[in-house]
Amino acid sequence: MNVPLFHTLVGIPIKYAVGTSSLALFFTALAGTFEHWHLAHVQPNVVLFLAPG
């Protein structure tokens, strides 16, 4: 939803909208990762196989 909204409502060119959306999602995913790590929901042996993906 971010890319079309950035492009149509804000007027950002599509290439910049994709990059901006990716950057915003990166920080959201990073915050979720730290929270799950803090709550001990992470299994380190599984992380090694999932991290490259």
Side-chain angles (χ1 to χ4, degrees):
M1 293 300 297
N2 288 343
V3 174
L5 291 174
F6 283 150
H7 182 63
T8 57
L9 295 178
V10 182
I12 298 175
I14 196 76
K15 287 184 178 182
Y16 291 114
V18 170
T20 304
S21 177
S22 296
L23 184 66
L25 290 174
F26 170 76
F27 287 114
T28 303
L30 193 62
T33 300
F34 284 134
E35 182 63 22
H36 281 288
W37 186 269
H38 178 70
L39 295 173
H41 293 165
V42 178
Q43 297 175 350
N45 58 342
V46 176
V47 169
L48 295 175
F49 293 107
L50 296 179

